[in-house]
Amino acid sequence: MQKLLQDMVETYGNQVYRLALRYTGNMHQAQDITQETFLRAYKHLDRFDRSKPAGPWLFKIAGNLCRNWLRDNREVPVEMADNLAQSTNPGPEEIYLEKEGEKELMQALNNMPLIYREVLLLRHVGELSYTEIGYTLSLELSQVKNRLYRGRIMLKEMLRKGE
Amino acid sequence: MTDIQCLDEVTIQAIIDGEETDISLTKHLDNCPACQGLKKQVAELVKTSDGLRIDADLPPEFYENLMDRIEVRPFPIALLAAVLFGLVLFSAYFLNPGYITWWFTVGITHQVGLIFDIFFDLLVLSQALGPLSVITVLTALVAIEVLILNKLRVMEG
Ligand SMILES: [Zn+2]
């Protein structure tokens, strides 16, 4: 059991962490979410189909935790997000935001409706295939394709506006 | 070029993402100037979204911390088992000292019984508890064993 968990952490730990980092924008919170993801995975290891890759299953758990975190912390209606984005001051733990363009990227993400954000993040941060994204979010393949396309357009538009 | 209809953005996106490999579609895309123009736009979108990639890694102690939290979980159950074991041993002794004497003398010396028992306890407990908890519970068990052995020694003569 522990060997399986160790393999999962080695293979997917950083990807889950990066996903949580994109949702929360905070390294400490992202580490907590990652730890909770693997604790839950360990607890429900008997429900995991070992013939399949663990990635989508882990991202499903992590995605739920991230959504809960957003709900409890700073998920706000889209029209209010502009004001919020302006007032977001990265704390000392958000050092990675210092990378050029990172702050704009996080603001654009935070302004984006969750249904597009989660598909974009699973694709570009989680590096999942369309089918795996569909499994993770319980979506049809056509929904994955459309949301990914709309999400990508939205992100580019928001970044262009922010310039 | 006219063998199939021009491709939509979502299909072109799937080709760029490596998710659509239908040869008739990719062939059309490669040879149609209109679709090539659209491909350039979609590729630009994909490139922008690729900026979402992030290099951050988990701290090296992550797995160790995770295991600490996992191994602590069975603690209450193991502790309860150890306490019950101690209680049963004590009750048996106080209710009928002869029973314990018999238990220790069935083809086994006191010292061997003690060592064997501690070894067995260690084996069981170390599976479920963290190092500190094992030491605490073992100390208690050893104290109980020594007490019982001492009482037996006094009783026997
Ligand atoms: Zn065409």
Side-chain angles (χ1 to χ4, degrees), chain A residues 117-133:
Chain A
R117 197 191 322 177
E118 54 193 8
V119 175
L120 269 186
L121 291 180
L122 286 175
R123 178 68 195 181
H124 290 282
V125 183
E127 294 170 14
L128 296 190
S129 70
Y130 288 7
T131 313
E132 288 172 330
I133 295 172

Side-chain angles (χ1 to χ4, degrees), chain A residues 23 25 50 105 113 140:
Chain A
Y23 272 106
R50 294 180 194 204
L105 205 54
E140 297 290 328

